[in-house]
Amino acid sequence: MDKGLSLQNVTIFNGDAPLIRVHHDVAPGAVLTVMGPSGVGKSTLLAFITGTLAKDFKATGEVWLDGHNITHAPPHQRRVGILFQDDLLFPHLSVGANLAFGLPPGGTSIQRQAKIDAALSEVGLEGFAPRDPATLSGGQKARVALMRMLLSDPSALLLDEPFSRLDAALRAQVRDMVFDRARARALPVLMVTHDAEDAHAAGGVVITLGHGDTVPKR
Amino acid sequence: MSRRYLLPVLPALTLLAMLGPVGAGLWGTFLPAFGHLPAAGLTGPSLDPFRDLFGWAGLPRAMMLSIGTGLLATVISLAIVMLVTAGWSGTRPFLMLERALSPLLAVPHAAAAFGLAFLIAPSGWLARLTSPGLTGWDRPPDLLIVQDSWGLAMTAGLIVKEVPFLLLITLAALGQADAQRSVRVAQALGYRRLTGWLKTVFPRVYAQIRPPIYVVLAYAMSVVDVAIILGPNTPPSLSVQIVKWMSHPDLAFRLEAAAGALLQLALVIGALVVWRIGETIVAALGRRWIASGARGKADAVVAGGALVAGTFSALAVLLGLVVLAIWSFAGFWSFPAALPDEMTLRNWLRFGPGTLKALGETAVIAVTAAMIALILTIGCLEAEYRHNIRVSQRAVWLLYLPLLVPQTAFLPGLQTLMLNIGADVGRWPVMLAHLVFVLPYVFLSLADPFRAWDTRMGVIAAALGASPDRVLWRVRLPMLLRPVLTALAVGLAVSVGQYLPTLLIGGGRVATLTTEAVALASGGDRRAIGVYGLMQTGAALVPFALALLIPAIVWRNRKGLRHG
């Protein structure tokens, strides 16, 4: 597969014990959902793909993105975006500076500012650039975090329980927005969650760990 | 060397900067102790230096002073801190005491010792405030309070400085000991607060604060500046005598000094062994006490006594600084008047220029040493983060090693070694010697907040395309601005307070506020001491104020960093 995210025989070991095994392709604009109770190692799969797997774990298999093998690339050169359940906006930067951090270098400062303003208005946050992120509501922070990630022009999007901190009304709204934006940019999306509603809303293939695809713990 | 290869070697470089001088100094002590000193035309080996040392009539007394004051100061300051925490942590009085004691940590030992001396001396402020009304004295009584032959004033001077240190260390350890819930469970089982704390929390807290306690013991046994100011003269404590021999114009006395330095090292090691044995005995007694199920009877009395002792300890330093300030502005001040007859700027005009020159020297040395320490520390912690290095408990002890080896055991050797190889004494060697003591404190201050940083921030930043260097400079360090500046302030304060390394490695030619102030001790000019003591305290305290102020101003519009 040329375009999209491809996990080829990815197995993650905790010490010597196999934890999870995934072999799957995610096409551009498609969503793969990995479900399972907490503790089965869903997040270690994402850490392996971003290149930030902790020393305790070992992994075999390969990750390919848009035809490149990124298994051993440094984290910052993988073009893999990720969103966590916390917004993780940099608390020392304004909303605008957070977005500028994501925006790849290049262009005049006026052009860069224009891109940031456009990104903010795309999610209904016109004029928020000078704000302190700590003064935003939960839904606003989630939107800024999403746009910061998209501005960095990733080739794939990983979601690590991204909506579990939001209340029910906000949740559906933010979720739709994330999936819409990903589809519009033709990004392959890999989501891990323990929430069936999220999995259903994603509308793609669902792998459930703890059965079939996982290796029972010895 | 390119930057990619620089980071992994920083931990090794840091260890070398900390332990290299200690090892070299001990070697340089060892040789002359056995009669080998080519610079004085002497070649060993011989046992004469030890024969001379043991022939010195003052030795038994000097050894007893070292052991007695060291053990007593450590036991009492530890008891005060543990009992105050046990009886009061989480209450208003505890919070007030904590707030009063925290800034005192930065007050240099010498300034605190002078302040205490000015308080408790027969002609001191306490005698003046109570005379003649309470005491009936209309002239200072003929009592030997300061520099008493038992070393009690010196012990008190050490206690008032070690209490804030141990309290802050204990507060840091409490967070990881789950103290509050343990005490609540114990109280639900019918234990009084203090007894419940001692039986459930103390064992865990003690295990965590053990290294700094050993540091306090080693320091108190071998301290020089406090001993010169508050300790006895005839004979002085062993460490002071070693320094006296070192500064003797006749180089041959260095052999005796080196032998004394090895003896001092042996005393400290012996005391640490005794302390370790004491720990097991206390632990055994404690287990029996716990098994007995006693709920505590004298809790209120013990807790009250501890709070009073802690308060006195804080007041001694605070009032000491006040009386230093008064003396620095004092004109004629007759006994027993509570305040000077006139307040004047004359002392400041007279000694001010001298203090400014010393302040300049102090600042150059402190800023250099603290900045080097900060860079090495951040490099080590970042290397640990990027290369996933696990730091074992044993490696943590390496950090404490330069603080456990008595200064008087290796600094004389370092000076002698430099003399032998013809190296010049002066500012640069002094900076490197300061670094030995500054590095551990800067590292210990920054390590916890640096490691506690949410590493998902790093994952996010990398996912946004930021290289590891960009993550460090643009995300991690700005977010950690306050702990970084605090660590820098700790390093500055440690350097400002150094007496012995400045004196010995500087060869008497590097004049900082601390060496100048301690040199005034024998003269007894209280106005000069007041000016120098205040300047010294200011030099140590101002960086801490800036470390609080700067982040508050820089991040004034960033709510997310206000409590970070």
Side-chain angles (χ1 to χ4, degrees):
Chain A
M1 189 171 81
D2 271 354
K3 282 282 176 187
L5 178 68
S6 172
L7 304 177
Q8 300 181 355
N9 292 314
V10 171
T11 312
I12 296 176
F13 300 85
N14 185 0
D16 289 330
L19 202 58
I20 48 175
R21 179 171 296 154
V22 179
H23 179 77
H24 213 286
D25 291 341
V26 191
V31 182
L32 170 66
T33 302
V34 177
M35 282 201 66
S38 53
V40 295
K42 301 186 301 274
S43 293
T44 58
L45 176 64
L46 299 191
F48 177 61
I49 300 171
T50 55
T52 51
L53 196 63
K55 263 268 170 70
D56 305 330
F57 300 98
K58 284 194 181 62
T60 57
E62 291 179 346
V63 184
W64 288 70
L65 181 59
D66 290 349
H68 300 287
N69 183 352
I70 60 164
T71 317
H72 302 290
H76 63 284
Q77 289 168 0
R78 295 188 173 208
R79 306 179 64 101
V80 174
I82 186 166
L83 290 176
F84 292 98
Q85 58 179 331
D86 298 303
D87 56 83
L88 297 177
L89 295 176
F90 302 131
H92 61 297
L93 301 177
S94 68
V95 169
N98 262 284
L99 295 175
F101 191 97
L103 198 59
T108 66
S109 61
I110 294 169
Q111 288 168 333
R112 291 176 68 81
Q113 191 57 51
K115 281 186 191 169
I116 289 164
D117 291 341
L120 282 173
S121 56
E122 187 181 337
V123 289
L125 293 173
E126 292 91 347
F128 273 63
R131 291 276 293 268
D132 174 4
T135 62
L136 269 54
S137 72
Q140 291 169 335
K141 287 180 194 169
R143 282 182 266 166
V144 175
L146 171 66
M147 292 321 289
R148 178 178 68 173
M149 187 50 68
L150 294 178
L151 276 182
S152 75
D153 197 19
S155 301
L157 185 57
L158 309 182
L159 305 173
D160 190 352
E161 309 255 5
F163 315 118
S164 56
R165 286 278 171 91
L166 301 171
D167 61 47
L170 209 53
R171 194 176 178 128
Q173 187 197 337
V174 172
R175 191 168 54 204
D176 289 346
M177 188 169 61
V178 170
F179 289 137
D180 286 349
R181 295 296 176 288
R183 219 170 292 132
R185 286 168 170 78
L187 293 176
V189 177
L190 172 59
M191 174 169 73
V192 304
T193 181
H194 63 266
D195 186 281
E197 206 190 312
D198 284 349
H200 179 73
V205 181
V206 177
I207 302 176
T208 306
L209 296 178
H211 311 286
D213 268 312
T214 65
V215 184
K217 275 190 186 171
R218 279 178 228 170
Chain B
M1 204 183 315
S2 96
R3 287 164 72 188
R4 178 182 304 194
Y5 300 105
L6 188 61
L7 196 59
V9 302
L10 277 184
L13 198 64
T14 305
L15 279 181
L16 186 70
M18 272 191 332
L19 302 180
V22 179
L26 286 177
W27 178 243
T29 304
F30 186 78
L31 290 180
F34 290 95
H36 190 76
L37 187 63
L42 297 163
T43 47
S46 98
L47 286 174
D48 289 346
F50 281 99
R51 218 166 283 142
D52 292 343
L53 175 67
F54 291 116
W56 175 46
L59 187 67
R61 186 98 201 157
M63 286 169 60
M64 282 313 296
L65 271 173
S66 170
I67 299 168
T69 53
L71 283 174
L72 204 60
T74 312
V75 168
I76 293 179
S77 46
L78 180 64
I80 291 175
V81 170
M82 289 298 115
L83 293 176
V84 164
T85 313
W88 300 92
S89 67
T91 65
R92 264 183 69 85
F94 186 79
L95 202 67
M96 283 163 63
L97 191 62
E98 184 194 326
R99 288 210 183 120
L101 283 170
S102 306
L104 300 186
L105 187 65
V107 176
H109 277 85
F114 277 126
L116 187 68
F118 288 6
L119 273 184
I120 63 173
S123 61
W125 210 25
L126 293 183
R128 287 169 192 266
L129 288 174
T130 53
S131 300
L134 288 174
T135 59
W137 299 331
D138 46 21
R139 75 183 118 139
D142 190 15
L143 295 170
L144 190 63
I145 297 178
V146 172
Q147 305 192 324
D148 63 295
S149 52
W150 287 95
L152 294 180
M154 173 182 164
T155 308
L158 287 166
I159 291 171
V160 299
K161 267 303 291 169
E162 299 314 335
V163 164
F165 175 66
L166 288 176
L167 185 74
L168 252 67
I169 296 283
T170 304
L171 287 175
L174 273 184
Q176 296 169 42
D178 201 10
Q180 266 190 332
R181 291 199 300 174
S182 298
V183 170
R184 218 173 293 155
V185 168
Q187 280 178 318
L189 296 173
Y191 285 85
R192 284 169 207 258
R193 178 193 190 96
L194 184 133
T195 305
W197 194 93
L198 287 179
K199 289 189 173 186
T200 60
V201 183
F202 173 73
R204 272 173 286 164
V205 166
Y206 186 86
Q208 286 222 8
I209 64 171
R210 176 186 279 157
I213 291 172
Y214 289 7
V215 168
V216 168
L217 178 59
Y219 177 84
M221 285 184 69
S222 56
V223 66
V224 173
D225 48 359
V226 177
I228 289 177
I229 297 165
L230 290 171
N233 277 323
T234 49
S237 68
L238 182 57
S239 280
V240 174
Q241 186 62 40
I242 293 170
V243 177
K244 278 190 179 168
W245 282 326
M246 280 303 289
S247 46
H248 203 284
D250 184 353
L251 282 183
F253 274 93
R254 280 164 186 263
L255 302 183
E256 208 170 334
L262 283 192
L263 179 63
Q264 178 74 69
L265 179 64
L267 287 183
V268 168
I269 292 173
L272 287 172
V273 170
V274 168
W275 188 275
R276 186 80 192 80
I277 295 169
E279 280 175 5
T280 57
I281 295 172
V282 170
L285 292 175
R287 274 193 293 273
R288 276 174 57 181
W289 186 45
I290 292 171
S292 75
R295 258 53 173 175
K297 288 195 194 88
D299 276 39
V301 179
V302 176
L307 189 66
V308 170
T311 309
F312 267 120
S313 162
L315 278 180
V317 182
L318 286 172
L319 290 180
L321 292 178
V322 170
V323 75
L324 277 180
I326 296 177
W327 270 111
S328 78
F329 291 107
F332 185 71
W333 190 357
S334 59
F335 191 89
L339 288 172
D341 302 352
E342 54 157 351
M343 299 293 253
T344 164
L345 282 173
R346 267 204 310 274
N347 306 328
W348 282 93
L349 291 175
R350 186 164 155 218
F351 303 112
T355 60
L356 283 182
K357 194 155 166 278
L359 175 67
E361 186 77 68
T362 307
V364 168
I365 292 170
V367 168
T368 312
M371 281 306 294
I372 294 174
L374 187 66
I375 291 166
L376 287 175
T377 297
I378 291 174
C380 284
L381 291 168
E382 182 69 8
E384 173 191 313
Y385 165 69
R386 284 190 201 175
H387 304 290
N388 259 313
I389 302 167
R390 281 283 159 72
V391 185
S392 67
Q393 193 59 34
R394 237 180 251 157
V396 174
W397 277 104
L398 282 181
L399 273 177
Y400 284 100
L401 202 60
L403 307 177
L404 287 172
V405 178
Q407 292 195 355
T408 36
F410 75 93
L411 286 174
L414 201 57
Q415 195 213 42
T416 308
L417 208 64
M418 285 165 52
L419 187 80
N420 275 338
I421 61 173
D424 198 20
V425 288
R427 196 185 278 165
W428 270 105
V430 169
M431 287 172 182
L432 289 179
H434 279 210
L435 191 58
V436 172
F437 308 101
V438 171
L439 246 176
Y441 284 110
V442 170
F443 196 101
L444 291 168
S445 162
L446 187 58
D448 280 349
F450 197 92
R451 289 173 182 147
W453 180 72
D454 188 345
T455 52
R456 290 179 310 169
M457 288 285 183
V459 175
I460 283 276
L464 294 170
S467 68
D469 284 346
R470 187 167 150 86
V471 176
L472 175 67
W473 290 105
R474 297 293 303 278
V475 182
R476 193 169 201 165
L477 291 182
M479 282 180 70
L480 295 175
L481 181 65
R482 201 159 93 179
V484 165
L485 289 181
T486 303
L488 189 65
V490 167
L492 292 171
V494 169
S495 173
V496 167
Q498 291 300 321
Y499 172 68
L500 199 57
T502 321
L503 180 79
L504 286 183
I505 307 303
R509 276 188 278 149
V510 177
T512 63
L513 286 169
T514 299
T515 57
E516 294 292 272
V518 177
L520 290 169
S522 55
D525 181 346
R526 292 189 171 180
R527 291 171 183 82
I529 292 173
V531 171
Y532 274 91
L534 273 195
M535 285 294 280
Q536 193 202 14
T537 307
L541 272 177
V542 167
F544 277 98
L546 291 178
L548 286 177
L549 198 66
I550 292 174
I553 293 174
V554 172
W555 300 139
R556 66 190 175 285
N557 291 327
R558 295 287 175 262
K559 251 171 84 183
L561 288 169
R562 214 157 286 173
H563 304 287

